[in-house]
Amino acid sequence: MPIAISKDKIDLSSEKKTKEVADKFSKKIKPGNVVFLYGEMGVGKTTFVRYLINQLQKDNKSKVTEVTSPTFTLLNEYQINQIKINHYDLFRLKSVEEIKNLDLFNENINTVTLVEWPQIIKEKPKNLIELNFEYGKDHETRSLQINGLSL
C-alpha cells in the first residue's frame, strides 16, 4: 500500500502510518546521522521518534523502553548495543549560546542525533537529514517531507 500523498509528502494522518514510516526510516539511518525534526507542537515529531527508537531497539534485540519528550531535560539518551541515540528538544532554548553547552554535534561515529525544534541552530551539521512535519487544512491530516534521505 503506498504511503505518499504527493510526490514530496508522506501521509502521516494516522498513528499506524507514522509507525510504518518510522519503521522504514529506522532501516535507512545510521550512526553519524543528524536528524532535524521541524513542525508545530503536536504534529507528531515525538511520536515518530518513539516509534523510530523502539524499532531500532527491536531490530537490535534490545529491551524496548519508554521514549518521552526531552522538553524539560533537553536530552534523553538511549544506548542500543553499540549505537547511542541522543534525542534533543530545543524548544525552551532562547539563544545560540545555550546550544554550546550541549555538545550537540560531538562527531561520534556511533551516535544518531535527533533534534526537535532545531530552528535555533545556525550552522547545519554534515550527515543531516531534515524531517518537516506539517498539518493539513485541518489538524486531522498530517504529512512529512524528508530531505537528505530517500525511503
Side-chain angles (χ1 to χ4, degrees):
M1 164 169 53
I3 57 174
I5 58 175
S6 75
K7 184 177 179 184
D8 298 321
K9 294 183 180 181
I10 300 168
D11 180 17
L12 294 183
S13 296
S14 72
E15 197 161 334
K16 179 182 176 189
K17 289 180 182 180
T18 301
K19 182 181 182 324
E20 288 173 9
V21 174
D23 291 353
K24 285 184 179 183
F25 190 77
S26 74
K27 309 292 188 253
K28 298 282 188 164
I29 63 167
K30 47 191 187 285
N33 285 146
V34 176
V35 181
F36 283 2
L37 296 97
Y38 297 94
E40 294 179 55
M41 195 169 292
V43 76
K45 297 180 301 290
T46 302
T47 300
F48 182 88
V49 168
R50 180 179 72 235
Y51 285 127
L52 171 65
I53 291 172
N54 287 162
Q55 188 60 48
L56 289 168
Q57 290 169 328
K58 290 174 191 173
D59 289 346
N60 287 279
K61 298 178 180 25
S62 295
K63 180 182 176 189
V64 174
T65 61
E66 183 177 5
V67 175
T68 59
S69 173
T71 300
F72 296 102
T73 59
L74 299 180
L75 169 65
N76 288 340
E77 297 176 305
Y78 303 88
Q79 190 68 45
I80 305 172
N81 296 337
Q82 302 303 313
I83 302 168
K84 181 178 179 183
I85 300 185
N86 288 335
H87 177 203
Y88 293 91
D89 185 323
L90 306 183
F91 181 75
R92 297 184 318 120
L93 299 186
K94 302 298 178 217
S95 75
V96 177
E97 293 300 314
E98 294 178 280
I99 294 174
K100 291 179 182 174
N101 296 331
L102 294 178
D103 194 26
L104 209 53
F105 310 118
N106 59 6
E107 300 296 325
N108 188 332
I109 60 170
N110 293 322
T111 302
V112 172
T113 303
L114 307 172
V115 184
E116 294 187 49
W117 301 98
Q119 291 85 334
I120 196 169
I121 299 170
K122 300 300 179 209
E123 288 186 42
K124 292 187 177 183
K126 51 187 167 177
N127 298 322
L128 178 63
I129 301 166
E130 294 177 297
L131 304 182
N132 296 290
F133 294 81
E134 293 180 344
Y135 284 113
K137 291 182 181 179
D138 57 23
H139 277 61
E140 300 299 316
T141 306
R142 300 170 190 199
S143 64
L144 170 65
Q145 186 171 14
I146 301 173
N147 299 312
L149 183 75
S150 297
L151 290 185

